[in-house]
Amino acid sequence: MMLFKYKTSDGLKLHRALPGQFLIPLVAAMTFLAALSIAGAYASQQLAKRWSAGAASTIILQIPMPNESLSSSNQTTTLSTTATKTKIQSVIAILSTSKELDSFHQMTDKEIDELLAPWLHESIQSFALPIPAIIELHLKHDPPLSITLEKTLKQTVPDISIEQSNFWNQRLNALANSLQTSAFLALIIVISVAATVIALSTRTGLMQCKQTIEILHNLGASDAYISFRFANRSAFLASVGGTIGSVFSVPLLLFLTYLSLPFSSDPNWQALSNASWFYFLITTPFQLFGLFILLPICNYFIGWITTTIIVYFWLRRLT
Amino acid sequence: MIQLDGVSLNYKNDITLLDNVNLHIPQGGFCWLTGPSGVGKSTLLRLLHLEKKPSSGLITILDTPTNHARRSTICRLKQRIGIVYQDFKLIPNLTVFDNIALPLRLQNIDENTVQRSNARILEWIGLEHKKYTYPKTLSGGEQQRVAIARAVIHRPNLLLADEPTNALDEYQVKRLMDLFYDLNDLGCTIIMATHNDALIRQFPATRLKLENGRLWVNDAV
């Protein structure tokens, strides 16, 4: 419409009816909280991913006397060809053919020494103790191990010990999921409060411009024109508030990211935490920076949609 | 064409302002609307300007049935109607120029045309030297002239005027009537509410008399 070009000539004076001094700080505060909620949701999602893919999905097999040959009575028909194999060789043969494993790793003597070092202070070899073979299994899916594989392993090596961490995995996943849900609920509440603030501000603006709106409406201004004028102003103020809130949330979020480095999946977290802030900044997940760009845009749309709905409903009172 | 079929309007459900009003005015008609003060002349004009909905009955404005018309249709119809309010209803924070330009700008007319039309009408109402002043600094007569200019600048198909001569001197009234007759000759339907019997005698036309909620039609005096 032509008036869009000459919008200061329609008498709505929206900079007075919708002043920024209240809306901008309120929206900025809401954006700050939204940034924290989203970062919380993102962090818990990453944590859940790490727990699922990491230690929680690992299964430990302990094979006592690993180099002992299997007695013929323990051989299954499927393993008839392994009659002369040791226990460990038989287990590795079964694991190699299994399709449910992502990978497996037999711990070396050195790794076992490192594991027991805090208790023994010297190599386990020097104690001449019968140390079981330890194999770490990484599953393609969440634990537990399938009954078939478990049964096969136990039939082959009856004294094998299978340590499944599915109890912890389930608990940790449930914790991560509930953290994520809480963060999303917080985000929804923050968005609702922001929308309510915008709606109240719009209503106040409409009341202030009531007389002018009625005259414009009677001269043939469409609902779309009037709502566009208000929505444009609200969306602008909301995006300014969003930008300010995002900028203020950056230092806090970077600091929280820094604190959470030990829990990250990055194997170089120690190097990262000792590196300069600039290096840390450039290695921060890009999603975090995406958030700062996305929040003002989301605010713009929340402002636009809320105002448009409020103005349309308000205009319904005019014939 | 304007048509009212059995139109009634009740105020707070018990006061009847209009009672089963029937009216037919062909396109290009000119009517005086008369009646005692407070009888509902302004209300009838507001009904015709689609600012109010009737309690019952059908209203057809510029050949468009309006009772169940969409809001966008009503909006387009309003752009084809000019109205002069008794209390002018000028926008206080707009200059004389911008007040007058509103109907054209709302119709998306290009700004050059707006400037040209505005210059002509400002010259006609004799307020070109006050085009950048605000309504509150104008006298009653000047505000009325601005209101009239805003009502006619877009050459409406229907012109509704509620006592438009109240604050004008005799010379201005004569010029206003000439302008209205010119618009009428161009096919604009005009309904003008007035108390001024002398004016009606001076410019004879169909007279609609509103009394006790009923509308009586007298042909040209």
Side-chain angles (χ1 to χ4, degrees), chain A residues 291-314:
Chain A
L291 186 72
F292 304 132
I293 299 164
L294 213 63
L295 276 174
I297 296 171
C298 287
N299 275 334
Y300 185 90
F301 284 108
I302 290 169
W304 183 281
I305 292 165
T306 308
T307 308
T308 302
I309 292 169
I310 295 291
V311 175
Y312 263 93
F313 270 100
W314 192 87

Side-chain angles (χ1 to χ4, degrees), chain A residues 101-177:
Chain A
L101 295 184
D102 192 33
S103 63
F104 67 88
H105 167 66
Q106 185 187 352
M107 290 183 82
T108 61
D109 290 344
K110 198 183 165 211
E111 284 169 331
I112 294 173
D113 276 348
E114 278 171 9
L115 199 67
L116 299 174
W119 293 276
L120 301 179
H121 303 292
E122 55 185 294
S123 172
I124 187 79
Q125 308 306 326
S126 57
F127 290 93
L129 288 170
I131 300 297
I134 296 173
I135 301 174
E136 261 184 24
L137 307 185
H138 295 280
L139 302 180
K140 282 180 183 165
H141 51 77
D142 286 343
L145 209 58
S146 72
I147 295 168
T148 326
L149 184 58
E150 195 178 336
K151 211 172 161 186
T152 314
L153 285 168
K154 284 199 168 161
Q155 276 177 352
T156 313
V157 183
D159 53 354
I160 192 168
S161 159
I162 302 170
E163 212 173 273
Q164 303 209 41
S165 50
N166 57 322
F167 171 76
W168 285 107
N169 189 37
Q170 280 166 3
R171 280 294 172 96
L172 291 171
N173 268 333
L175 178 65
N177 287 338

